[in-house]
Amino acid sequence: MLTKEELDFLDYWEKNSLQQKHSTRPFMIGLSAGFVLGISLIAVVFSGWYERANMVANSRLSSFVFLLAILGISFFMAFMYRKFRWETNEQRYRELLARKKTLEKKEV
């Protein structure tokens, strides 16, 4: 027998799976995670803890290219996080649906 939480999830996902596929909330969470990664990368580069890497970055790396790369990484992480969350929920939904069907067959 499925728990109430699992049955609630089945009902919720059946109604909202397409909305969640294009939702902005997981996208924004992934985007913020990407920006945190980018800001930490900027902090590491400009902290100067590794002098040689700092000198190479300052001589060869354009600030515009660096910021563009961080922006690209952020949007990539946002897209992948949203897709990962949707796929995880879809997998859970299919597993619960299969388990529900097998339980119904056993009861009959």
Side-chain angles (χ1 to χ4, degrees):
M1 175 110 179
L2 296 176
T3 64
K4 182 175 177 4
E5 179 186 329
E6 292 170 339
L7 290 173
D8 289 343
F9 177 76
L10 282 173
D11 291 338
Y12 170 77
W13 197 251
E14 188 175 325
K15 295 174 187 170
N16 297 319
S17 65
L18 290 178
Q19 282 180 327
Q20 291 294 322
K21 192 170 190 173
H22 303 291
S23 176
T24 58
R25 186 172 188 271
F27 187 79
M28 294 308 261
I29 292 171
L31 190 63
S32 62
F35 282 137
V36 166
L37 181 69
I39 289 170
S40 62
L41 187 62
I42 288 173
V44 166
V45 167
F46 290 119
S47 69
W49 67 274
Y50 186 48
E51 291 293 324
R52 183 177 170 103
N54 197 18
M55 288 187 299
V56 169
N58 287 335
S59 66
R60 294 184 186 168
L61 188 63
S62 168
S63 298
F64 176 73
V65 173
F66 190 60
L67 291 176
L68 191 63
I70 288 173
L71 195 63
I73 289 169
S74 299
F75 277 104
F76 176 74
M77 282 186 69
F79 175 75
M80 290 307 293
Y81 179 77
R82 180 175 64 186
K83 188 154 184 70
F84 173 75
R85 291 290 300 174
W86 189 86
E87 289 287 335
T88 303
N89 286 335
E90 183 70 17
Q91 179 69 29
R92 181 179 175 203
Y93 172 75
R94 289 179 186 221
E95 287 173 0
L96 289 174
L97 202 57
R99 198 165 98 200
K100 182 180 176 183
K101 286 180 183 179
T102 57
L103 289 173
E104 286 174 355
K105 284 182 182 179
K106 286 182 181 179
E107 288 177 1
V108 172

